[in-house]
Amino acid sequence: MLRKLLIGTALASGLAFAAHAEDVKEVQMLHWWTSGGEAAALNVLKGDLAKEGYAWKDVPVAGGGGDAAMTALKAMVAAGNYPTASQMLGYTVLDYAAAGVMGDLTETAKKEGWDKSVPAALQKFSVYDGKWVAAPVNVHSVNWLWINKAVMDKIGGTEPKTFDDFVALLDKAKAAGVTPLALGGQNWQEATMFDSVVLSTGGPDFYKKAMNDLDEESLKSDTMKKSFDNLAKLVTYVDPNFSGRDWNLATAMVIKGDALVQVMGDWAKGEFHAANKAPGTDFLCYRFPGTDGSVIYNSDMFGMFNVPEDRKAAQIALATATLSKSFQSAFNVVKGSVPARTDVPDTDFDACGKKGIADLKAANDGGKLFGSLAQGYGAPPAVANAYKDVVSKFVHGQIKTSDEAVTELVKAIDDAK
Ligand code: GAL
């Protein structure tokens, strides 16, 4: 009886058959989750693994969006020093898989039923050549506004439904002497905001053609020019000290009421959560004006490396914990994202989280779920970097006009392809 019970427990914990005496009871993880909200979310995972007896070897590489982390990862992998797993975005997973350095989690995936519970849009990036090479942690989406409620009340603002409404709202904040738009002047933040501007300006079909299919006609179209015009307009509402500012410091400006709004992925909500702020009373979450019904997504994945035998049990434990329903709820409530499985109840999520879950489902069902080009889900890293570079040069005045921006964008993407 006891023996049966023990075997049952081992099976349930996902460690069946794999664990043996010489296994290294440690998970080494490279990631860029160093802000307050991100660290709080990561603690949920560390706690779950500690309960199973796994030590956590942290490899944090600060820098939102993960560019610095990916440089560090490249060096580790080149030296043959694979972490158990690394945080990765979309096309980066596929690049490492193509390079033949990823492990194979297919057996675990089968046992845990990932094929059925993880949406196809994520499986496209976590399964390579029929093998599971990464465990999706969450689904983030970038087309959000994060607004300080007290400032909104003070200026008598209401939810902006169109780009023009948004501009009118920003004008109200300006007139009241509040910084209208909190932005961090780093290329990935500017490009993340521009993803939303393109969707708002051109609509869903245009976004897909330009930002996912990289269709040249769309990239050089008047609609793309208009998107750059709209971006230029938004930049006029940013404070003069925005260059180089970290994203979470921009979020803090909104949390404190020093700015009205930030356009950012829902990891920003993790910062509000960490500061004990509640949606509806302290802050408001609206879709970027003119993008209702569509979701531009990214998903953090734990790319699983082909580690030596004695580190595989720890990797399986990590992957199993990551995709467990309870973790998917607990972690994403803190992180600001929504679950990477379709069968996790929204009970524990706040109003923005519930909206995020419902929006994702509706967008997916309606064919309006699109990969973020800024966040690694629109095109391979070389193209995404070219895009970020052009957008940033435009924001900082090194590219002067929308005409020039479009020409540079087409050229940069072409060169990167
Ligand atoms: C994104 C990542 C999020 C969040 C953000 C800022 O790339 O998907 O999880 O951490 O960067 O660091």
Side-chain angles (χ1 to χ4, degrees):
M1 182 62 196
L2 181 65
R3 200 180 126 73
K4 256 194 190 161
L5 202 70
L6 285 175
I7 291 173
T9 312
L11 276 170
S13 70
L15 301 178
F17 316 122
H20 49 89
E22 315 87 72
D23 283 335
V24 179
K25 301 280 280 178
E26 174 189 274
V27 165
Q28 186 190 27
M29 166 86 82
L30 190 147
H31 62 88
W32 62 91
W33 284 335
T34 55
S35 78
E38 291 172 329
L42 198 57
N43 278 337
V44 178
L45 181 59
K46 290 183 195 171
D48 280 6
L49 285 168
K51 274 185 227 145
E52 294 191 37
Y54 287 94
W56 182 266
K57 191 161 174 218
D58 208 28
V59 190
V61 183
D67 287 340
M70 289 304 94
T71 305
L73 178 65
K74 215 183 223 169
M76 278 178 81
V77 173
N81 174 21
Y82 301 173
T84 313
S86 171
Q87 182 188 357
M88 286 184 190
L89 299 172
Y91 280 93
T92 304
V93 178
L94 302 182
D95 273 4
Y96 277 101
V101 295
M102 301 310 272
D104 182 359
L105 270 293
T106 309
E107 221 174 284
T108 309
K110 269 201 190 126
K111 201 167 65 189
E112 300 286 325
W114 295 353
D115 285 357
K116 276 165 259 127
S117 56
V118 174
L122 304 192
Q123 288 194 37
K124 208 175 123 190
F125 296 97
S126 49
V127 178
Y128 181 80
D129 218 2
K131 292 182 188 142
W132 280 84
V133 295
V137 192
N138 57 15
V139 185
H140 271 303
S141 94
V142 309
N143 54 317
W144 286 109
L145 303 183
W146 305 97
I147 292 181
N148 180 294
K149 169 86 162 56
V151 175
M152 188 73 156
D153 290 346
K154 185 175 137 198
I155 65 172
T158 51
E159 178 177 359
K161 283 295 192 183
T162 63
F163 190 80
D164 289 346
D165 288 353
F166 191 30
V167 169
L169 179 67
L170 294 167
D171 274 332
K172 275 187 179 219
K174 195 173 173 182
V178 183
T179 297
L181 183 60
L183 175 66
Q186 299 173 344
N187 70 0
W188 74 271
Q189 292 184 61
E190 295 149 353
T192 298
M193 181 163 88
F194 192 54
D195 278 357
S196 295
V197 174
V198 172
L199 175 61
S200 170
T201 309
D205 291 343
F206 179 78
Y207 181 91
K208 181 176 178 299
K209 270 200 206 146
M211 311 291 266
N212 292 169
D213 302 343
L214 306 179
D215 167 56
E216 196 164 316
E217 287 309 308
S218 306
L219 286 171
K220 64 182 187 204
S221 65
D222 286 346
T223 308
M224 191 54 96
K225 270 179 214 158
K226 176 82 181 141
S227 302
F228 277 105
D229 289 346
N230 285 343
L231 176 62
K233 182 77 196 164
L234 291 186
V235 174
T236 65
Y237 294 100
V238 168
D239 68 297
N241 301 320
F242 83 109
S243 275
R245 176 186 290 141
D246 288 330
W247 69 272
N248 53 317
L249 300 182
T251 312
M253 290 168 68
V254 177
I255 293 176
K256 285 191 230 142
D258 293 341
L260 171 70
V261 55
Q262 182 184 24
V263 180
M264 191 38 71
D266 41 18
W267 46 89
K269 205 193 71 188
E271 299 304 301
F272 285 95
H273 188 271
N276 285 317
K277 302 293 183 191
T281 43
D282 302 312
F283 70 96
L284 304 163
C285 56
Y286 298 137
R287 285 294 170 185
F288 188 94
T291 72
D292 247 348
S294 297
V295 168
I296 307 179
Y297 81 99
N298 78 331
S299 160
D300 292 302
M301 304 223 168
F302 291 157
M304 302 288 175
F305 283 89
N306 189 13
V307 289
E309 278 309 312
D310 61 354
R311 290 170 60 198
K312 287 209 159 108
Q315 190 175 60
I316 290 170
L318 168 66
T320 306
T322 300
L323 271 156
S324 79
K325 280 175 143 186
S326 57
F327 172 80
Q328 284 286 321
S329 178
F331 174 89
N332 286 307
V333 160
V334 181
K335 185 70 172 66
S337 37
V338 305
R341 309 178 48 126
T342 50
D343 55 357
V344 178
D346 71 1
T347 328
D348 291 343
F349 287 81
D350 65 20
C352 302
K354 285 189 168 67
K355 177 169 167 53
I357 292 171
D359 286 356
L360 177 64
K361 186 178 181 322
N364 192 30
D365 293 350
K368 289 184 181 174
L369 177 62
F370 307 113
S372 162
L373 184 52
Q375 288 288 326
Y377 279 80
V383 171
N385 288 337
Y387 165 68
K388 289 188 268 189
D389 190 48
V390 170
V391 171
S392 190
K393 281 187 174 142
F394 180 74
V395 168
H396 294 271
Q398 290 149 272
I399 295 175
K400 300 255 181 296
T401 65
S402 298
D403 269 316
E404 207 186 313
V406 162
T407 309
E408 291 294 322
L409 184 65
V410 170
K411 187 177 172 307
I413 288 184
D414 214 41
D415 290 351
K417 272 204 278 202

